[in-house]
Amino acid sequence: MDEVKRNEIISFAIKKLTHLIDPETGKIKPIPFKQSELMKSLGLENKSTLTALSDKQIQQFINAALEDADCWDLFLDFIEDDWNAETGVPHLVAGFCIDFTLGRIQKPKKKKTTNSRDFVFLMLAEVISRTFKINFSRANDVKGKVTFTALDAIAKACREIENFQDALQFSGLSRLRTQNQNIAYLVDNMLKKYGYYTKRAFKNTQ
């Protein structure tokens, strides 16, 4: 691969990553995985009020709120939108509000994870691999002649983005798929959804 093509791929990676970095923290902007999963499971995109949910669904919502800060914020948004002095809110929601007022429950702390970073890196590597028709990782090269892959492009981009606190070297990037199977599963499903999935042997991308 010539230098011009290589720089084009690195520039592509820099552009995509820079857009996803929080300028205040220097880290990848957090992705609310649990909130998205909850919204999908309860169909919240199509339900504007808590009264549209069954008691079982409301309890599921409350349980998620007690475990995840993003789900907590979402639940409070629903309560605020639903609040009516005359009709009130469903009894389970009222119980939640009382427990909060009495200090029995509180908003869970944000969990420090690398899930967002790992998802972005894996997804970007897949996109680069398919867009520019290059190997995902050097491990894909049976003959050992490939020296520049999608993961190499991301590793190079990480070094060129100033004050990027989530940067990883190639050695760290190459282990992401095996070290975070849940995120790898999300990436694979996203690829299938948008028609990018191929039968490439993912086990060889370590």
Side-chain angles (χ1 to χ4, degrees):
M1 179 185 296
D2 60 48
E3 195 67 21
V4 173
K5 186 67 174 180
R6 183 175 302 198
N7 289 336
E8 178 188 355
I9 298 173
I10 294 171
S11 295
F12 177 86
I14 291 174
K15 180 180 179 181
K16 296 298 183 183
L17 285 173
T18 301
H19 177 68
L20 298 171
I21 297 173
D22 185 330
E24 294 185 3
T25 65
K27 295 179 177 292
I28 297 292
K29 296 174 184 176
I31 301 172
F33 291 109
K34 287 193 176 294
Q35 177 184 314
S36 298
E37 182 180 343
L38 180 70
M39 292 184 69
K40 182 178 180 181
S41 64
L42 297 182
L44 297 178
E45 299 93 339
N46 303 316
K47 297 172 182 176
S48 58
T49 67
L50 291 169
T51 55
L53 302 175
S54 67
D55 283 353
K56 183 178 180 179
Q57 289 175 315
I58 291 176
Q59 188 60 59
Q60 182 180 342
F61 206 158
I62 291 173
N63 293 342
L66 294 174
E67 294 176 359
D68 181 80
D70 292 316
C71 293
W72 176 283
D73 290 338
L74 181 64
F75 191 51
L76 293 193
D77 286 341
F78 266 82
I79 294 174
E80 182 179 358
D81 290 342
D82 282 2
W83 179 255
N84 185 301
E86 295 182 1
T87 61
V89 291
H91 71 282
L92 288 174
V93 180
F96 173 91
C97 295
I98 292 171
D99 286 342
F100 177 69
T101 302
L102 296 177
R104 294 172 181 163
I105 59 174
Q106 58 184 351
K107 180 179 179 178
K109 293 181 179 180
K110 288 274 188 179
K111 296 178 181 178
K112 295 181 179 180
T113 72
T114 57
N115 286 346
S116 296
R117 181 202 66 185
D118 293 356
F119 178 85
V120 167
F121 281 152
L122 283 175
M123 179 60 77
L124 181 57
E126 296 288 359
V127 170
I128 289 173
S129 176
R130 288 159 172 76
T131 300
F132 296 97
K133 304 297 187 295
I134 63 175
N135 282 25
F136 175 89
S137 172
R138 296 174 201 165
N140 299 135
D141 179 33
V142 179
K143 297 181 180 180
K145 296 181 178 180
V146 174
T147 59
F148 186 76
T149 67
L151 293 184
D152 287 293
I154 293 175
K156 178 67 174 175
C158 283
R159 292 195 295 271
E160 295 191 14
I161 299 175
E162 189 176 359
N163 298 321
F164 183 24
Q165 302 301 314
D166 265 346
L168 282 182
Q169 297 180 347
F170 179 86
S171 57
L173 289 166
S174 64
R175 294 192 295 269
L176 286 183
R177 180 167 281 281
T178 54
Q179 291 182 341
N180 200 332
Q181 295 293 323
N182 291 334
I183 295 303
Y185 176 77
L186 290 177
V187 170
D188 293 347
N189 278 349
M190 187 70 72
L191 292 171
K192 291 177 184 178
K193 180 178 180 181
Y194 291 101
Y196 289 114
Y197 180 73
T198 66
K199 292 184 178 180
R200 177 173 58 80
F202 286 130
K203 65 181 179 180
N204 293 325
T205 61
Q206 303 173 25

